[in-house]
Amino acid sequence: MQGIGIAVPSRGKLVVVNIPSFELVALEDGKYVLRSRVVVGRPLTPTPELSTAIWAVTFNPSWTPTPAMMRFEGARHMPPGPQNPLGRILFELDNDQLIFLHDTNDRRFFDRPVRAFSHGCVRVEKARALAAWALDVSEAEIDRSIARVGTHRELLTANIPVAIVYRTRFPDDEGRLGDSPDVYRQQSVAAVAPGERPSEECRGPL
């Protein structure tokens, strides 16, 4: 992706999540094959920039909230099923920050222009299509995997690199750069002179 510092391989697969534009793009052999809206972390629980990889897809995952979510939000463990916050598909990422790509049981936020509502993980609107592409199967096969009883995991034949980036200018399918909001106000904080303290407006939620 020229002009934004992301090296796209001429062969193989790559997933890029751009936080400010709330979107995921999948590329294969240097060409766009999928673009999906996503929900990213809130300003108080931001999605970090990461260089990682998808190594497996888990179907019908269970969900265990963090201790902070249990204490402050009353969240509880959720078994697999239609009410699970992870939805029916979880993309296993190789990182130590507990950041994942996943489906969701609440799709209403995908219709909003600003989609920063999660605790840090990335909710993918087209999770079924992404899983089919990652596993080299049809979406009908993904539906059959979801229909199987219980949690089960499918390993990828080869890890797919994933770049989670923060670019307020990001290309569309034709390579044209478009502007996105500085959702985490990184540019506002960067503009503060050395030695100055960022204002509450710069550090607080949108």
Side-chain angles (χ1 to χ4, degrees), residues 55-124:
W55 59 273
V57 178
T58 296
F59 295 96
N60 301 317
S62 60
W63 179 67
T64 301
T66 65
M69 293 167 68
M70 295 174 68
R71 179 179 179 183
F72 297 112
E73 301 178 27
R76 294 293 181 265
H77 174 83
M78 291 287 293
Q83 302 307 314
N84 192 291
L86 300 178
R88 298 303 188 114
I89 300 172
L90 173 69
F91 299 89
E92 304 281 0
L93 298 185
D94 182 17
N95 71 99
D96 59 2
Q97 299 188 53
L98 299 178
I99 297 298
F100 304 98
L101 310 178
H102 64 82
D103 186 23
T104 179
N105 68 327
D106 186 354
R107 308 186 68 80
R108 56 185 169 152
F109 294 117
F110 289 126
D111 292 328
R112 301 193 182 186
V114 175
R115 298 186 288 275
F117 297 103
S118 83
H119 289 86
C121 287
V122 178
R123 306 172 193 170
V124 182

Side-chain angles (χ1 to χ4, degrees), residues 94-168:
D94 182 17
N95 71 99
D96 59 2
Q97 299 188 53
L98 299 178
I99 297 298
F100 304 98
L101 310 178
H102 64 82
D103 186 23
T104 179
N105 68 327
D106 186 354
R107 308 186 68 80
R108 56 185 169 152
F109 294 117
F110 289 126
D111 292 328
R112 301 193 182 186
V114 175
R115 298 186 288 275
F117 297 103
S118 83
H119 289 86
C121 287
V122 178
R123 306 172 193 170
V124 182
E125 182 180 34
K126 297 180 180 178
R128 288 172 64 257
L130 182 63
W133 172 76
L135 292 169
D136 289 314
V137 299
S138 67
E139 290 192 39
E141 181 62 30
I142 295 301
D143 290 339
R144 287 190 287 271
S145 293
I146 292 172
R148 287 174 53 186
V149 176
T151 302
H152 56 101
R153 177 178 292 163
E154 298 286 343
L155 300 178
L156 272 60
T157 56
N159 289 3
I160 299 176
V162 175
I164 301 179
V165 300
Y166 193 97
R167 304 287 192 272
T168 54

Side-chain angles (χ1 to χ4, degrees), residues 15-82:
V15 171
V16 180
V17 175
N18 187 43
I19 297 166
S21 60
F22 314 109
E23 63 183 332
L24 174 152
V25 294
L27 302 101
E28 187 167 359
D29 297 339
K31 298 180 181 179
Y32 292 98
V33 295
L34 175 68
R35 187 177 289 262
S36 173
R37 289 180 286 189
V38 300
V39 173
V40 301
R42 298 172 297 182
L44 292 178
T45 55
T47 299
E49 292 190 85
L50 282 176
S51 179
T52 180
I54 302 172
W55 59 273
V57 178
T58 296
F59 295 96
N60 301 317
S62 60
W63 179 67
T64 301
T66 65
M69 293 167 68
M70 295 174 68
R71 179 179 179 183
F72 297 112
E73 301 178 27
R76 294 293 181 265
H77 174 83
M78 291 287 293

